[in-house]
Amino acid sequence: MKKIFYILITFVLTAFSMSSLANSEGEAMYNALGCASCHGENGRSKDESIPSLAGNDVDWIVQQLEYFQSGERQNAYMNAMAPMAEGFEQSIAEYLAIQDPQK
Ligand code: HEC
C-alpha cells in the first residue's frame, strides 16, 4: 500500500513539474526567438499591424504556425519566423493561450 502511494505521488509530481516546465519552455522560446519583439510582451501586441496572440486557442496557434511553415499561409515575417519555432509550437501555444489578452 505504501509503495503504491509513493508511486502515485511520484507520478503526480512528475506530471505537475512537466506541465509547468512546458509553460516556462514556451515562455522562454517565445522570448528567445524574438516573437515578443513583434507580438508584444506576453502576446499582447501594441502595434495595430501585428495581431495579439494572448488568449488564443492552443490548437489554432499550432495550426497557424504549421501553415506559415508549409507556406499555406503567406506572410514574409511569419514564413521566416515560424520554422524557428519548430519543435516548440505546442509549448509556445500553451504559454500564449493562458495569457490574459486584456492586460
Ligand atoms: C517581424 C515581426 C514578427 C515576428 C518576429 C513574429 N511574428 Fe508572428 N506575425 C507577424 C505578423 C505581421 C502577423 C500577421 C500575418 C498576417 O497578416 O497573415 C503574424 C501572425 C502570427 C500568428 C497568427 C496570428 C493571427 O491572428 O492570425 C501567429 C500564431 C504568430 N504570428 C506567431 C508567432 C511566433 C510564435 C513567433 C516567434 C517564433 C512570431 N510570430 C514572430 C509578425 C511577426
Side-chain angles (χ1 to χ4, degrees):
M1 192 58 208
K2 220 173 180 179
K3 200 173 173 188
I4 293 174
F5 177 74
Y6 282 128
I7 291 170
L8 270 175
I9 282 288
T10 308
F11 179 75
V12 169
L13 285 178
T14 308
F16 182 75
S17 63
M18 275 169 66
S19 68
S20 56
L21 186 74
N23 285 334
S24 58
E25 177 188 89
E27 179 174 14
M29 292 312 292
Y30 177 79
N31 291 310
L33 291 173
C35 315
S37 67
C38 285
H39 290 285
E41 201 185 324
N42 302 115
R44 292 183 291 270
S45 170
K46 293 192 166 74
D47 183 333
E48 266 176 37
S49 63
I50 299 172
S52 283
L53 303 173
N56 274 317
D57 182 69
V58 175
D59 292 341
W60 182 86
I61 296 174
V62 171
Q63 186 70 80
Q64 299 315 304
L65 289 171
E66 287 171 358
Y67 285 154
F68 285 124
Q69 287 165 357
S70 71
E72 191 164 329
R73 188 171 166 184
Q74 292 277 322
N75 174 267
Y77 295 132
M78 285 311 300
N79 292 138
M81 289 305 298
M84 299 195 336
E86 181 102 55
F88 299 101
E89 295 91 342
Q90 187 73 23
S91 58
I92 292 174
E94 282 170 5
Y95 160 67
L96 290 168
I98 58 169
Q99 302 309 307
D100 185 345
Q102 303 300 338
K103 270 188 186 157

